[in-house]
Amino acid sequence: MKLTGYNKCQHCGEIFKDANHNTAKLNNPSPCCGATNESRHHWPTLDVLILIGLVEKQNLDDFKERKVAIVFVATLLEMLLEETVTKLAYKHCNSDTAVEALLDSYQGRQKRIALFNKLSGLKMKELLNNNGFTDYLFWWEAISTLRNKIVHQGFYAQTEIDVNMTIRNLLNNSIDVFALLNNESNLLQAN
């Protein structure tokens, strides 16, 4: 498992790329807000990094390993979405109970995307399209559909998409996409 080179500033919450580890020394300012002497956490979470590593180890030309990759890619994307939506919910709710109730009422990928749109005042599709990720939601929908077939039916039939390419595209773009979503929603003021 390799780290992504992204860190999360504990002062302002922005996610930034630091592939050269320039901010490893706490007296070096964060590029986002200039904060010094505050820890910066590797991002994304260890759970997500483990899933990325497992997907990268799968032989996508092997049907069984491809099924594993599909399930894990869909799962890691939902974990990243949940992190972003949870952060947004805390900007609108004053208690853990309220945030939990809100998230419980918006279960599933489509509903969580709608919740992101509602809480952020942004449209995820427009935000992604405007930043060069025009096919991302299509790829995500395709993989989620396949995952549901695997989980609920145990298999998936032939599909019109190139599954291997879709998995690679999602993996190659997921960190940048969710850093963007985090940072754009981070700009919003709390109510």
Side-chain angles (χ1 to χ4, degrees), residues 68-80:
V68 170
I70 290 167
V71 171
F72 286 168
V73 166
T75 301
L76 75 89
L77 295 176
E78 288 179 6
M79 291 169 70
L80 289 165

PDB file of all heavy atoms in Angstrom, residues 68-80:
ATOM      1  N   VAL A  68     -13.880  -8.975  -7.294  1.00  0.00           N
ATOM      2  CA  VAL A  68     -13.363  -8.413  -6.040  1.00  0.00           C
ATOM      3  C   VAL A  68     -13.054  -6.932  -6.231  1.00  0.00           C
ATOM      4  O   VAL A  68     -13.414  -6.087  -5.408  1.00  0.00           O
ATOM      5  CB  VAL A  68     -12.107  -9.181  -5.566  1.00  0.00           C
ATOM      6  CG1 VAL A  68     -11.417  -8.468  -4.422  1.00  0.00           C
ATOM      7  CG2 VAL A  68     -12.476 -10.609  -5.176  1.00  0.00           C
ATOM      8  N   ALA A  69     -12.406  -6.603  -7.341  1.00  0.00           N
ATOM      9  CA  ALA A  69     -12.048  -5.209  -7.623  1.00  0.00           C
ATOM     10  C   ALA A  69     -13.290  -4.335  -7.747  1.00  0.00           C
ATOM     11  O   ALA A  69     -13.321  -3.217  -7.221  1.00  0.00           O
ATOM     12  CB  ALA A  69     -11.200  -5.128  -8.892  1.00  0.00           C
ATOM     13  N   ILE A  70     -14.312  -4.838  -8.403  1.00  0.00           N
ATOM     14  CA  ILE A  70     -15.557  -4.076  -8.563  1.00  0.00           C
ATOM     15  C   ILE A  70     -16.154  -3.754  -7.205  1.00  0.00           C
ATOM     16  O   ILE A  70     -16.528  -2.618  -6.923  1.00  0.00           O
ATOM     17  CB  ILE A  70     -16.563  -4.857  -9.439  1.00  0.00           C
ATOM     18  CG1 ILE A  70     -16.077  -4.892 -10.887  1.00  0.00           C
ATOM     19  CG2 ILE A  70     -17.961  -4.256  -9.345  1.00  0.00           C
ATOM     20  CD1 ILE A  70     -16.822  -5.891 -11.769  1.00  0.00           C
ATOM     21  N   VAL A  71     -16.263  -4.761  -6.357  1.00  0.00           N
ATOM     22  CA  VAL A  71     -16.872  -4.560  -5.030  1.00  0.00           C
ATOM     23  C   VAL A  71     -16.044  -3.571  -4.199  1.00  0.00           C
ATOM     24  O   VAL A  71     -16.585  -2.656  -3.582  1.00  0.00           O
ATOM     25  CB  VAL A  71     -17.033  -5.916  -4.297  1.00  0.00           C
ATOM     26  CG1 VAL A  71     -17.458  -5.703  -2.846  1.00  0.00           C
ATOM     27  CG2 VAL A  71     -18.044  -6.793  -5.034  1.00  0.00           C
ATOM     28  N   PHE A  72     -14.735  -3.724  -4.211  1.00  0.00           N
ATOM     29  CA  PHE A  72     -13.885  -2.846  -3.400  1.00  0.00           C
ATOM     30  C   PHE A  72     -13.835  -1.419  -3.937  1.00  0.00           C
ATOM     31  O   PHE A  72     -13.794  -0.468  -3.158  1.00  0.00           O
ATOM     32  CB  PHE A  72     -12.488  -3.422  -3.262  1.00  0.00           C
ATOM     33  CG  PHE A  72     -12.392  -4.598  -2.323  1.00  0.00           C
ATOM     34  CD1 PHE A  72     -11.249  -5.374  -2.293  1.00  0.00           C
ATOM     35  CD2 PHE A  72     -13.429  -4.938  -1.476  1.00  0.00           C
ATOM     36  CE1 PHE A  72     -11.141  -6.455  -1.423  1.00  0.00           C
ATOM     37  CE2 PHE A  72     -13.336  -6.015  -0.610  1.00  0.00           C
ATOM     38  CZ  PHE A  72     -12.193  -6.771  -0.585  1.00  0.00           C
ATOM     39  N   VAL A  73     -13.827  -1.241  -5.260  1.00  0.00           N
ATOM     40  CA  VAL A  73     -13.847   0.122  -5.814  1.00  0.00           C
ATOM     41  C   VAL A  73     -15.140   0.824  -5.424  1.00  0.00           C
ATOM     42  O   VAL A  73     -15.123   1.972  -4.978  1.00  0.00           O
ATOM     43  CB  VAL A  73     -13.657   0.119  -7.350  1.00  0.00           C
ATOM     44  CG1 VAL A  73     -14.021   1.465  -7.951  1.00  0.00           C
ATOM     45  CG2 VAL A  73     -12.236  -0.226  -7.706  1.00  0.00           C
ATOM     46  N   ALA A  74     -16.252   0.138  -5.589  1.00  0.00           N
ATOM     47  CA  ALA A  74     -17.534   0.747  -5.222  1.00  0.00           C
ATOM     48  C   ALA A  74     -17.565   1.098  -3.736  1.00  0.00           C
ATOM     49  O   ALA A  74     -18.047   2.161  -3.344  1.00  0.00           O
ATOM     50  CB  ALA A  74     -18.683  -0.197  -5.579  1.00  0.00           C
ATOM     51  N   THR A  75     -17.009   0.231  -2.910  1.00  0.00           N
ATOM     52  CA  THR A  75     -16.978   0.468  -1.463  1.00  0.00           C
ATOM     53  C   THR A  75     -16.100   1.657  -1.111  1.00  0.00           C
ATOM     54  O   THR A  75     -16.497   2.524  -0.326  1.00  0.00           O
ATOM     55  CB  THR A  75     -16.495  -0.797  -0.731  1.00  0.00           C
ATOM     56  OG1 THR A  75     -17.370  -1.875  -1.043  1.00  0.00           O
ATOM     57  CG2 THR A  75     -16.451  -0.580   0.770  1.00  0.00           C
ATOM     58  N   LEU A  76     -14.916   1.733  -1.674  1.00  0.00           N
ATOM     59  CA  LEU A  76     -14.028   2.842  -1.313  1.00  0.00           C
ATOM     60  C   LEU A  76     -14.598   4.182  -1.780  1.00  0.00           C
ATOM     61  O   LEU A  76     -14.431   5.198  -1.102  1.00  0.00           O
ATOM     62  CB  LEU A  76     -12.600   2.607  -1.807  1.00  0.00           C
ATOM     63  CG  LEU A  76     -12.244   2.759  -3.274  1.00  0.00           C
ATOM     64  CD1 LEU A  76     -11.844   4.171  -3.618  1.00  0.00           C
ATOM     65  CD2 LEU A  76     -11.084   1.817  -3.601  1.00  0.00           C
ATOM     66  N   LEU A  77     -15.296   4.200  -2.906  1.00  0.00           N
ATOM     67  CA  LEU A  77     -15.924   5.439  -3.361  1.00  0.00           C
ATOM     68  C   LEU A  77     -17.039   5.873  -2.411  1.00  0.00           C
ATOM     69  O   LEU A  77     -17.186   7.060  -2.108  1.00  0.00           O
ATOM     70  CB  LEU A  77     -16.464   5.280  -4.783  1.00  0.00           C
ATOM     71  CG  LEU A  77     -15.411   5.044  -5.859  1.00  0.00           C
ATOM     72  CD1 LEU A  77     -16.072   4.797  -7.203  1.00  0.00           C
ATOM     73  CD2 LEU A  77     -14.424   6.188  -5.932  1.00  0.00           C
ATOM     74  N   GLU A  78     -17.806   4.909  -1.923  1.00  0.00           N
ATOM     75  CA  GLU A  78     -18.860   5.235  -0.962  1.00  0.00           C
ATOM     76  C   GLU A  78     -18.263   5.725   0.354  1.00  0.00           C
ATOM     77  O   GLU A  78     -18.822   6.617   0.999  1.00  0.00           O
ATOM     78  CB  GLU A  78     -19.775   4.038  -0.746  1.00  0.00           C
ATOM     79  CG  GLU A  78     -20.659   3.773  -1.945  1.00  0.00           C
ATOM     80  CD  GLU A  78     -21.566   2.579  -1.787  1.00  0.00           C
ATOM     81  OE1 GLU A  78     -21.625   1.986  -0.686  1.00  0.00           O
ATOM     82  OE2 GLU A  78     -22.229   2.230  -2.779  1.00  0.00           O
ATOM     83  N   MET A  79     -17.128   5.176   0.749  1.00  0.00           N
ATOM     84  CA  MET A  79     -16.464   5.640   1.976  1.00  0.00           C
ATOM     85  C   MET A  79     -15.987   7.085   1.811  1.00  0.00           C
ATOM     86  O   MET A  79     -16.145   7.907   2.724  1.00  0.00           O
ATOM     87  CB  MET A  79     -15.296   4.720   2.324  1.00  0.00           C
ATOM     88  CG  MET A  79     -15.726   3.339   2.776  1.00  0.00           C
ATOM     89  SD  MET A  79     -14.355   2.164   2.892  1.00  0.00           S
ATOM     90  CE  MET A  79     -13.481   2.799   4.308  1.00  0.00           C
ATOM     91  N   LEU A  80     -15.418   7.397   0.662  1.00  0.00           N
ATOM     92  CA  LEU A  80     -14.962   8.771   0.407  1.00  0.00           C
ATOM     93  C   LEU A  80     -16.142   9.733   0.355  1.00  0.00           C
ATOM     94  O   LEU A  80     -16.074  10.853   0.884  1.00  0.00           O
ATOM     95  CB  LEU A  80     -14.158   8.830  -0.894  1.00  0.00           C
ATOM     96  CG  LEU A  80     -12.781   8.188  -0.843  1.00  0.00           C
ATOM     97  CD1 LEU A  80     -12.233   7.985  -2.256  1.00  0.00           C
ATOM     98  CD2 LEU A  80     -11.821   9.011   0.003  1.00  0.00           C
TER      99      LEU A  80
END
